[in-house]
Protein backbone atom coordinates (compact mmCIF):
# COMPACT_ATOMS: atom_id res chain seq x y z
CA UNK A 1 0.00 0.00 0.00
CA UNK A 2 1.40 3.34 -0.97
CA UNK A 3 1.63 6.34 1.31
CA UNK A 4 -1.78 8.04 1.53
CA UNK A 5 -0.09 11.39 1.99
CA UNK A 6 0.61 11.29 -1.75
CA UNK A 7 -3.04 10.59 -2.60
CA UNK A 8 -5.86 13.12 -2.75
CA UNK A 9 -8.47 11.57 -0.47
CA UNK A 10 -11.92 13.05 -0.98
CA UNK A 11 -14.95 11.72 0.89
CA UNK A 12 -17.30 12.31 -2.05
CA UNK A 13 -14.83 10.93 -4.57
CA UNK A 14 -14.19 7.71 -2.62
CA UNK A 15 -17.73 7.02 -1.37
CA UNK A 16 -20.01 8.95 -3.70
CA UNK A 17 -22.53 11.69 -2.98
CA UNK A 18 -25.50 9.39 -3.69
CA UNK A 19 -24.29 6.88 -1.08
CA UNK A 20 -23.82 9.62 1.51
CA UNK A 21 -27.27 11.06 0.77
CA UNK A 22 -28.82 7.59 1.11
CA UNK A 23 -27.16 7.13 4.50
CA UNK A 24 -28.34 10.58 5.55
CA UNK A 25 -31.95 9.87 4.56
CA UNK A 26 -31.97 6.51 6.37
CA UNK A 27 -30.50 8.06 9.52
CA UNK A 28 -33.01 10.91 9.53
CA UNK A 29 -35.94 8.51 9.04
CA UNK A 30 -34.80 6.33 11.94
CA UNK A 31 -33.66 8.99 14.41
CA UNK A 32 -35.83 11.96 13.51
CA UNK A 33 -32.93 14.43 13.44
CA UNK A 34 -31.07 15.87 10.46
CA UNK A 35 -27.70 14.40 9.55
CA UNK A 36 -25.03 16.20 7.59
CA UNK A 37 -21.78 14.98 6.07
CA UNK A 38 -18.98 17.51 5.57
CA UNK A 39 -15.54 17.38 4.05
CA UNK A 40 -12.38 17.69 6.15
CA UNK A 41 -12.77 21.49 6.11
CA UNK A 42 -16.29 21.33 7.49
CA UNK A 43 -18.01 22.24 4.23
CA UNK A 44 -21.27 20.35 3.53
CA UNK A 45 -21.11 17.54 0.94
CA UNK A 46 -24.71 16.38 1.38
CA UNK A 47 -27.99 18.30 1.21
CA UNK A 48 -29.05 20.41 4.19
CA UNK A 49 -32.83 20.39 4.34
CA UNK A 50 -33.06 22.78 7.27
CA UNK A 51 -29.68 24.46 7.74
CA UNK A 52 -30.82 26.56 10.72
CA UNK A 53 -31.04 23.33 12.73
CA UNK A 54 -27.30 22.82 12.53
CA UNK A 55 -24.63 24.64 14.44
CA UNK A 56 -22.69 26.51 11.79
CA UNK A 57 -19.59 26.23 13.91
CA UNK A 58 -19.07 23.09 11.81
CA UNK A 59 -20.02 24.63 8.50
CA UNK A 60 -17.32 27.24 7.96
CA UNK A 61 -17.10 28.47 4.41
CA UNK A 62 -20.54 27.20 3.37
CA UNK A 63 -23.04 29.56 1.69
CA UNK A 64 -25.49 28.95 4.55
CA UNK A 65 -22.91 29.90 7.16
CA UNK A 66 -22.19 33.17 5.40
CA UNK A 67 -25.85 34.04 4.76
CA UNK A 68 -27.38 33.03 8.10
CA UNK A 69 -26.16 34.23 11.44
CA UNK A 70 -25.43 31.18 13.57
CA UNK A 71 -27.75 31.01 16.57
CA UNK A 72 -25.11 29.20 18.62
CA UNK A 73 -22.14 31.54 18.18
CA UNK A 74 -21.97 35.30 18.48
CA UNK A 75 -19.31 35.99 15.85
CA UNK A 76 -17.49 34.30 12.95
CA UNK A 77 -14.24 33.97 14.89
CA UNK A 78 -16.08 31.86 17.45
CA UNK A 79 -17.39 29.57 14.69
CA UNK A 80 -13.92 29.05 13.28
CA UNK A 81 -12.39 28.50 16.72
CA UNK A 82 -15.07 25.94 17.61
CA UNK A 83 -14.47 24.10 14.34
CA UNK A 84 -10.72 23.91 14.88
CA UNK A 85 -11.12 22.75 18.48
CA UNK A 86 -13.66 20.09 17.47
CA UNK A 87 -11.37 18.85 14.69
CA UNK A 88 -8.49 18.48 17.14
CA UNK A 89 -10.61 16.61 19.68
CA UNK A 90 -12.23 14.23 17.21
CA UNK A 91 -8.94 13.50 15.45
CA UNK A 92 -7.23 12.84 18.76
CA UNK A 93 -9.86 10.52 20.21
CA UNK A 94 -11.55 9.16 17.08
CA UNK A 95 -14.78 9.18 19.12
CA UNK A 96 -18.02 11.20 18.82
CA UNK A 97 -17.95 14.67 20.39
CA UNK A 98 -21.08 16.34 21.84
CA UNK A 99 -20.98 20.13 21.41
CA UNK A 100 -23.01 22.55 23.58
CA UNK A 101 -23.43 26.08 22.25
CA UNK A 102 -24.00 29.23 24.35
CA UNK A 103 -27.73 28.94 23.65
CA UNK A 104 -27.85 25.43 25.11
CA UNK A 105 -28.30 23.54 21.83
CA UNK A 106 -26.52 20.20 21.47
CA UNK A 107 -24.89 18.88 18.31
CA UNK A 108 -22.81 15.73 17.81
CA UNK A 109 -19.76 15.39 15.60
CA UNK A 110 -18.22 12.09 14.44
CA UNK A 111 -14.93 12.04 12.49
CA UNK A 112 -14.60 9.94 9.33
CA UNK A 113 -10.96 8.85 9.21
CA UNK A 114 -9.15 6.64 6.71
CA UNK A 115 -5.73 5.37 7.72
CA UNK A 116 -4.97 8.39 9.89
CA UNK A 117 -6.37 11.01 7.53
CA UNK A 118 -9.67 12.78 8.23
CA UNK A 119 -11.92 12.62 5.18
CA UNK A 120 -14.78 14.53 6.77
CA UNK A 121 -17.33 14.59 9.56
CA UNK A 122 -20.81 13.37 10.26
CA UNK A 123 -22.95 15.82 12.25
CA UNK A 124 -26.44 15.66 13.67
CA UNK A 125 -28.49 18.11 15.66
CA UNK A 126 -29.73 20.24 17.00
CA UNK A 127 -31.09 18.83 20.23
CA UNK A 128 -32.04 20.01 23.72
CA UNK A 129 -31.72 17.93 26.86
CA UNK A 130 -34.89 19.44 28.39
CA UNK A 131 -38.12 21.05 27.26
CA UNK A 132 -37.18 24.63 26.32
CA UNK A 133 -38.47 27.71 28.18
CA UNK A 134 -39.31 29.85 25.17
CA UNK A 135 -39.40 33.11 27.11
CA UNK A 136 -35.95 32.37 28.44
CA UNK A 137 -34.76 31.90 24.84
CA UNK A 138 -36.21 35.27 23.90
CA UNK A 139 -34.30 36.94 26.77
CA UNK A 140 -31.05 35.09 25.88
CA UNK A 141 -31.40 36.14 22.25
CA UNK A 142 -31.89 39.80 23.16
CA UNK A 143 -28.87 39.70 25.49
CA UNK A 144 -26.71 38.35 22.63
CA UNK A 145 -28.12 40.64 19.97
CA UNK A 146 -29.79 37.79 18.08
CA UNK A 147 -33.22 37.61 16.50
CA UNK A 148 -35.52 36.51 19.39
CA UNK A 149 -38.15 34.90 17.16
CA UNK A 150 -35.50 32.96 15.22
CA UNK A 151 -34.14 31.62 18.50
CA UNK A 152 -37.60 30.61 19.67
CA UNK A 153 -38.28 28.86 16.35
CA UNK A 154 -34.98 27.00 16.64
CA UNK A 155 -35.86 25.90 20.19
CA UNK A 156 -39.33 24.76 19.12
CA UNK A 157 -37.85 22.70 16.26
CA UNK A 158 -35.09 21.14 18.34
CA UNK A 159 -35.39 17.45 19.26
CA UNK A 160 -35.63 16.94 23.01
CA UNK A 161 -33.64 13.98 24.36
CA UNK A 162 -31.35 13.22 27.25
CA UNK A 163 -27.57 13.45 26.91
CA UNK A 164 -27.43 9.67 27.24
CA UNK A 165 -29.77 9.30 24.27
CA UNK A 166 -27.80 11.84 22.29
CA UNK A 167 -24.63 9.87 23.01
CA UNK A 168 -26.37 6.66 21.89
CA UNK A 169 -27.38 8.30 18.62
CA UNK A 170 -23.82 9.59 18.25
CA UNK A 171 -22.55 6.01 18.64
CA UNK A 172 -24.98 4.95 15.90
CA UNK A 173 -23.53 7.68 13.70
CA UNK A 174 -20.06 6.41 14.65
CA UNK A 175 -21.07 2.98 13.31
CA UNK A 176 -22.34 4.58 10.10
CA UNK A 177 -19.05 6.46 9.81
CA UNK A 178 -17.28 3.09 10.08
CA UNK A 179 -19.29 1.81 7.11
CA UNK A 180 -18.37 4.93 5.17
CA UNK A 181 -14.70 4.40 6.01
CA UNK A 182 -14.90 0.76 4.89
CA UNK A 183 -16.44 1.78 1.57
CA UNK A 184 -13.82 4.49 1.11
CA UNK A 185 -11.02 2.07 1.94
CA UNK A 186 -12.33 -0.51 -0.54
CA UNK A 187 -12.42 2.13 -3.27
CA UNK A 188 -8.94 3.37 -2.38
CA UNK A 189 -7.46 -0.13 -2.39
CA UNK A 190 -9.11 -0.93 -5.72
CA UNK A 191 -7.64 2.22 -7.25
CA UNK A 192 -4.20 1.49 -5.86
CA UNK A 193 -4.36 -2.06 -7.20
CA UNK A 194 -5.34 -0.69 -10.61
CA UNK A 195 -2.41 1.72 -10.55
CA UNK A 196 -0.01 -1.03 -9.51
CA UNK A 197 -1.34 -3.28 -12.28
CA UNK A 198 -0.89 -0.51 -14.84
CA UNK A 199 2.69 0.05 -13.66
CA UNK A 200 3.42 -3.68 -13.64
CA UNK A 201 1.94 -4.14 -17.11
CA UNK A 202 3.94 -1.23 -18.49
CA UNK A 203 7.24 -2.39 -17.00
CA UNK A 204 6.63 -6.03 -17.92
CA UNK A 205 5.71 -5.16 -21.50
CA UNK A 206 8.74 -2.88 -21.85
CA UNK A 207 11.16 -5.49 -20.47
CA UNK A 208 9.67 -8.39 -22.40
CA UNK A 209 9.49 -6.45 -25.65
CA UNK A 210 13.20 -5.64 -25.32
CA UNK A 211 13.94 -9.34 -24.65
CA UNK A 212 12.41 -10.68 -27.86
CA UNK A 213 15.03 -9.28 -30.26
CA UNK A 214 18.13 -10.62 -28.43
CA UNK A 215 16.34 -13.93 -27.79
CA UNK A 216 15.65 -14.33 -31.49
CA UNK A 217 19.31 -13.61 -32.20
CA UNK A 218 20.41 -16.18 -29.59
CA UNK A 219 18.12 -18.83 -31.09
CA UNK A 220 19.51 -18.10 -34.56
CA UNK A 221 23.07 -18.44 -33.32
CA UNK A 222 22.33 -21.67 -31.47
CA UNK A 223 20.65 -23.09 -34.56
CA UNK A 224 23.71 -22.26 -36.63
CA UNK A 225 25.86 -24.14 -34.14
CA UNK A 226 23.44 -27.05 -34.04
CA UNK A 227 23.35 -27.59 -37.81
CA UNK A 228 27.15 -27.30 -38.08
CA UNK A 229 27.41 -23.98 -39.89
CA UNK A 230 30.56 -23.20 -37.89
CA UNK A 231 31.89 -26.71 -38.03
CA UNK A 232 30.81 -30.16 -36.84
CA UNK A 233 30.03 -30.74 -33.15
CA UNK A 234 30.72 -33.90 -31.19
CA UNK A 235 27.73 -35.63 -29.58
CA UNK A 236 28.04 -34.09 -26.07
CA UNK A 237 28.39 -30.57 -27.52
CA UNK A 238 25.49 -31.08 -29.90
CA UNK A 239 23.31 -32.35 -27.03
CA UNK A 240 24.24 -29.29 -24.97
CA UNK A 241 23.42 -26.90 -27.83
CA UNK A 242 20.11 -28.72 -28.44
CA UNK A 243 19.13 -28.28 -24.79
CA UNK A 244 20.05 -24.58 -24.91
CA UNK A 245 18.06 -24.17 -28.11
CA UNK A 246 14.95 -25.78 -26.58
CA UNK A 247 15.09 -23.60 -23.46
CA UNK A 248 15.65 -20.47 -25.53
CA UNK A 249 12.62 -21.32 -27.68
CA UNK A 250 10.60 -21.96 -24.53
CA UNK A 251 11.58 -18.57 -23.15
CA UNK A 252 10.69 -16.95 -26.47
CA UNK A 253 7.29 -18.66 -26.25
CA UNK A 254 6.72 -17.08 -22.83
CA UNK A 255 7.70 -13.69 -24.21
CA UNK A 256 5.31 -14.10 -27.12
CA UNK A 257 2.52 -15.21 -24.76
CA UNK A 258 2.85 -12.01 -22.75
CA UNK A 259 2.98 -9.76 -25.79
CA UNK A 260 0.09 -11.59 -27.44
CA UNK A 261 -2.09 -11.48 -24.32
CA UNK A 262 -1.48 -7.76 -23.96
CA UNK A 263 -2.31 -7.23 -27.64
CA UNK A 264 -5.44 -9.38 -27.44
CA UNK A 265 -6.62 -7.47 -24.37
CA UNK A 266 -6.14 -4.16 -26.16
CA UNK A 267 -7.22 -5.03 -29.71
CA UNK A 268 -8.99 -8.37 -29.57
CA UNK A 269 -7.74 -11.50 -31.33
CA UNK A 270 -7.57 -11.95 -35.09
CA UNK A 271 -8.16 -15.49 -36.36
CA UNK A 272 -7.01 -17.06 -39.63
CA UNK A 273 -9.53 -19.89 -39.78
CA UNK A 274 -9.18 -22.89 -42.02
CA UNK A 275 -10.44 -26.50 -42.03
CA UNK A 276 -7.91 -28.64 -40.18
CA UNK A 277 -7.83 -32.10 -38.60
CA UNK A 278 -7.36 -32.22 -34.82
CA UNK A 279 -4.95 -35.14 -35.22
CA UNK A 280 -2.40 -32.99 -37.05
CA UNK A 281 -2.58 -30.26 -34.37
CA UNK A 282 -2.16 -32.83 -31.59
CA UNK A 283 0.85 -34.40 -33.31
CA UNK A 284 2.51 -31.01 -33.75
CA UNK A 285 1.91 -30.06 -30.12
CA UNK A 286 3.26 -33.37 -28.82
CA UNK A 287 6.38 -32.93 -30.94
CA UNK A 288 7.05 -29.61 -29.21
CA UNK A 289 6.89 -31.01 -25.67
CA UNK A 290 8.17 -34.56 -26.16
CA UNK A 291 11.60 -33.79 -24.70
CA UNK A 292 9.98 -32.47 -21.49
CA UNK A 293 7.85 -35.63 -21.22
CA UNK A 294 10.86 -37.89 -21.75
CA UNK A 295 12.97 -35.96 -19.26
CA UNK A 296 10.35 -36.46 -16.53
CA UNK A 297 9.53 -40.05 -17.51
CA UNK A 298 5.86 -39.17 -18.08
CA UNK A 299 3.62 -41.36 -20.24
CA UNK A 300 1.81 -39.26 -22.88
CA UNK A 301 -1.13 -40.80 -24.75
CA UNK A 302 -3.07 -39.17 -27.59
CA UNK A 303 -6.46 -40.70 -28.27
CA UNK A 304 -8.53 -38.53 -30.66
CA UNK A 305 -10.90 -40.84 -32.61
CA UNK A 306 -10.20 -41.15 -36.33
CA UNK A 307 -13.75 -40.19 -37.36
CA UNK A 308 -13.69 -36.68 -35.87
CA UNK A 309 -14.90 -33.99 -38.27
CA UNK A 310 -12.48 -31.31 -39.36
CA UNK A 311 -12.18 -28.22 -37.19
CA UNK A 312 -12.66 -24.68 -38.49
CA UNK A 313 -10.01 -22.87 -36.48
CA UNK A 314 -6.84 -20.83 -36.50
CA UNK A 315 -4.34 -23.68 -36.54
CA UNK A 316 -1.47 -21.72 -34.94
CA UNK A 317 -3.66 -20.48 -32.06
CA UNK A 318 -5.08 -23.93 -31.29
CA UNK A 319 -1.61 -25.45 -31.50
CA UNK A 320 -0.44 -22.99 -28.83
CA UNK A 321 -3.48 -23.78 -26.70
CA UNK A 322 -2.57 -27.47 -26.70
CA UNK A 323 1.13 -26.79 -26.10
CA UNK A 324 0.28 -24.54 -23.15
CA UNK A 325 -2.11 -27.08 -21.63
CA UNK A 326 0.42 -29.87 -22.08
CA UNK A 327 3.19 -27.71 -20.58
CA UNK A 328 0.98 -26.94 -17.60
CA UNK A 329 0.17 -30.63 -17.14
CA UNK A 330 3.86 -31.57 -17.32
CA UNK A 331 4.73 -28.91 -14.74
CA UNK A 332 2.28 -30.30 -12.17
CA UNK A 333 2.60 -34.03 -12.92
CA UNK A 334 5.20 -35.95 -10.87
CA UNK A 335 7.90 -38.09 -12.45
CA UNK A 336 6.41 -41.35 -13.68
CA UNK A 337 2.90 -39.88 -14.04
CA UNK A 338 0.65 -39.89 -17.08
CA UNK A 339 -0.95 -37.33 -19.41
CA UNK A 340 -3.55 -37.97 -22.09
CA UNK A 341 -5.31 -36.01 -24.83
CA UNK A 342 -8.81 -37.23 -25.70
CA UNK A 343 -11.53 -35.80 -27.93
CA UNK A 344 -15.17 -36.45 -28.78
CA UNK A 345 -17.96 -35.23 -31.02
CA UNK A 346 -21.59 -36.09 -30.32
CA UNK A 347 -23.46 -34.71 -33.33
CA UNK A 348 -23.48 -32.64 -36.50
CA UNK A 349 -24.29 -29.37 -34.74
CA UNK A 350 -22.00 -29.94 -31.78
CA UNK A 351 -18.49 -28.59 -31.29
CA UNK A 352 -15.57 -30.94 -30.80
CA UNK A 353 -14.72 -31.45 -27.12
CA UNK A 354 -11.02 -31.81 -26.27
CA UNK A 355 -9.67 -32.82 -22.87
CA UNK A 356 -6.11 -32.78 -21.51
CA UNK A 357 -5.84 -35.01 -18.44
CA UNK A 358 -2.99 -35.50 -16.00
CA UNK A 359 -2.31 -37.56 -12.88
CA UNK A 360 -0.78 -34.68 -10.96
CA UNK A 361 -1.55 -33.59 -7.43
CA UNK A 362 -4.67 -31.67 -8.45
CA UNK A 363 -5.79 -28.10 -7.93
CA UNK A 364 -7.47 -26.98 -4.68
CA UNK A 365 -11.10 -26.05 -5.27
CA UNK A 366 -10.60 -22.44 -4.20
CA UNK A 367 -8.16 -21.92 -7.11
CA UNK A 368 -10.23 -23.44 -9.91
CA UNK A 369 -11.82 -20.08 -10.84
CA UNK A 370 -8.45 -18.29 -10.75
CA UNK A 371 -6.21 -20.47 -12.90
CA UNK A 372 -7.06 -18.54 -16.07
CA UNK A 373 -6.15 -15.18 -14.50
CA UNK A 374 -2.92 -13.51 -15.55
CA UNK A 375 -0.02 -14.62 -13.34
CA UNK A 376 -2.39 -16.67 -11.18
CA UNK A 377 -0.80 -18.33 -8.14
CA UNK A 378 -1.86 -21.90 -7.41
CA UNK A 379 -0.85 -23.39 -4.09
CA UNK A 380 0.98 -26.68 -4.30
CA UNK A 381 -0.05 -28.68 -1.23
CA UNK A 382 2.72 -31.23 -1.69
CA UNK A 383 5.47 -28.71 -2.40
CA UNK A 384 4.19 -26.34 0.29
CA UNK A 385 4.50 -23.30 -1.95
CA UNK A 386 2.59 -21.36 -4.57
CA UNK A 387 3.35 -21.91 -8.23
CA UNK A 388 2.56 -19.45 -10.99
CA UNK A 389 0.54 -20.56 -13.98
CA UNK A 390 2.01 -17.58 -15.84
CA UNK A 391 0.16 -16.45 -18.95
CA UNK A 392 -0.28 -19.75 -20.76
CA UNK A 393 -3.74 -20.48 -19.39
CA UNK A 394 -4.78 -16.86 -19.88
CA UNK A 395 -3.87 -17.18 -23.56
CA UNK A 396 -5.77 -20.49 -23.77
CA UNK A 397 -8.95 -18.90 -22.44
CA UNK A 398 -8.75 -15.90 -24.76
CA UNK A 399 -7.95 -18.01 -27.84
CA UNK A 400 -10.68 -20.61 -27.21
CA UNK A 401 -13.31 -17.96 -26.50
CA UNK A 402 -12.27 -16.04 -29.63
CA UNK A 403 -13.25 -19.17 -31.59
CA UNK A 404 -16.65 -19.17 -29.89
CA UNK A 405 -15.73 -22.10 -27.67
CA UNK A 406 -15.38 -22.39 -23.94
CA UNK A 407 -12.73 -23.73 -21.59
CA UNK A 408 -12.97 -25.01 -18.03
CA UNK A 409 -11.12 -27.17 -15.53
CA UNK A 410 -12.07 -30.02 -13.22
CA UNK A 411 -9.74 -31.35 -10.58
CA UNK A 412 -9.56 -33.64 -7.59
CA UNK A 413 -6.74 -33.39 -5.08
CA UNK A 414 -4.46 -36.38 -5.19
CA UNK A 415 -5.93 -37.71 -8.43
CA UNK A 416 -5.24 -35.13 -11.12
CA UNK A 417 -6.66 -32.38 -13.29
CA UNK A 418 -8.52 -32.21 -16.60
CA UNK A 419 -8.77 -29.13 -18.79
CA UNK A 420 -11.69 -29.21 -21.24
CA UNK A 421 -12.26 -26.94 -24.21
CA UNK A 422 -14.55 -26.90 -27.23
CA UNK A 423 -13.77 -25.96 -30.84
CA UNK A 424 -16.09 -25.32 -33.80
CA UNK A 425 -16.45 -27.44 -36.92
CA UNK A 426 -17.02 -25.99 -40.42
Amino acid sequence: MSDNNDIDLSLVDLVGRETLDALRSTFEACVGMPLLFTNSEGQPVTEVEDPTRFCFAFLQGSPEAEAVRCLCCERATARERTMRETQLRTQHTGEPVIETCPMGFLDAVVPIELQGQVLGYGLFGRALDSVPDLEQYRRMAKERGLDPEACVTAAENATVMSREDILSVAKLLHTIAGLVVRAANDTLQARQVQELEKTRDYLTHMIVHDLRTPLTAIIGSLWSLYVGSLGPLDDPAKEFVELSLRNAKRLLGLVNDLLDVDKMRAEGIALNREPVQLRSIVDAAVEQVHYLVEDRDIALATEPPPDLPALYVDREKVDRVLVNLLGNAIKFTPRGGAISIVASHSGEDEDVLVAVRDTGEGIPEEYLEKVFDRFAQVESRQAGRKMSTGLGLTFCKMAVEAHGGRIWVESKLGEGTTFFFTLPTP
Side-chain angles (χ1 to χ4, degrees), residues 177-392:
L179 297 176
V180 172
V181 168
R182 185 181 304 174
N185 190 52
D186 289 345
T187 302
L188 179 61
Q189 289 185 344
R191 289 181 181 177
Q192 290 174 329
V193 167
Q194 289 175 352
E195 290 301 316
L196 289 173
E197 287 182 346
K198 286 181 182 178
T199 302
R200 183 193 67 185
D201 289 348
Y202 172 75
L203 292 175
T204 303
H205 186 274
M206 181 175 62
I207 293 170
V208 170
H209 189 274
D210 290 343
L211 278 175
R212 183 156 64 173
T213 299
L215 261 178
T216 303
I218 290 171
I219 290 172
S221 299
L222 288 171
W223 178 251
S224 296
L225 286 173
Y226 183 74
V227 298
S229 298
L230 302 180
L233 300 174
D234 57 27
D235 289 342
K238 192 168 186 178
E239 184 178 343
F240 178 79
V241 171
E242 182 181 13
L243 178 62
S244 299
L245 187 59
R246 287 172 179 172
N247 286 325
K249 287 182 176 179
R250 186 180 178 193
L251 182 57
L252 181 60
L254 295 174
V255 168
N256 288 334
D257 277 347
L258 179 57
L259 295 176
D260 286 347
V261 166
D262 283 348
K263 185 177 181 179
M264 286 189 289
R265 290 175 67 202
E267 305 174 8
I269 181 169
L271 299 177
N272 296 315
R273 294 177 183 261
E274 60 178 326
V276 59
Q277 293 295 327
L278 178 62
R279 175 89 255 178
S280 65
I281 297 178
V282 169
D283 290 344
V286 170
E287 176 63 25
Q288 294 180 64
V289 301
H290 76 90
Y291 66 93
L292 295 173
V293 172
E294 294 170 358
D295 184 62
R296 294 175 63 87
D297 192 26
I298 294 173
L300 176 56
T302 59
E303 306 168 8
D307 58 345
L308 278 180
L311 303 174
Y312 188 60
V313 297
D314 184 316
R315 181 189 183 105
E316 186 268 337
K317 297 292 191 304
V318 176
D319 176 75
R320 286 177 62 183
V321 168
L322 268 178
V323 169
N324 285 339
L325 292 178
L326 286 171
N328 190 73
I330 293 168
K331 180 192 299 185
F332 291 98
T333 298
R335 182 175 295 275
I339 298 172
S340 63
I341 303 173
V342 297
S344 62
H345 180 252
S346 58
E348 292 184 0
D349 297 329
E350 295 295 327
D351 292 342
V352 170
L353 174 65
V354 184
V356 178
R357 297 194 176 106
D358 66 58
T359 58
E361 62 183 86
I363 302 172
E365 184 177 357
E366 62 268 27
Y367 293 100
L368 291 178
E369 296 296 325
K370 302 177 182 178
V371 294
F372 296 105
D373 294 344
R374 300 170 73 234
F375 303 109
Q377 297 286 318
V378 176
E379 182 177 354
S380 172
R381 298 284 173 85
Q382 294 180 4
R385 61 189 175 89
K386 289 187 176 181
M387 302 177 68
S388 174
T389 60
L391 289 164

Side-chain angles (χ1 to χ4, degrees), residues 155-172:
E156 289 177 330
N157 292 334
T159 301
V160 178
M161 61 173 59
S162 67
R163 284 182 175 268
E164 291 76 13
D165 289 340
I166 292 176
L167 184 59
S168 296
V169 175
K171 289 180 178 179
L172 172 61

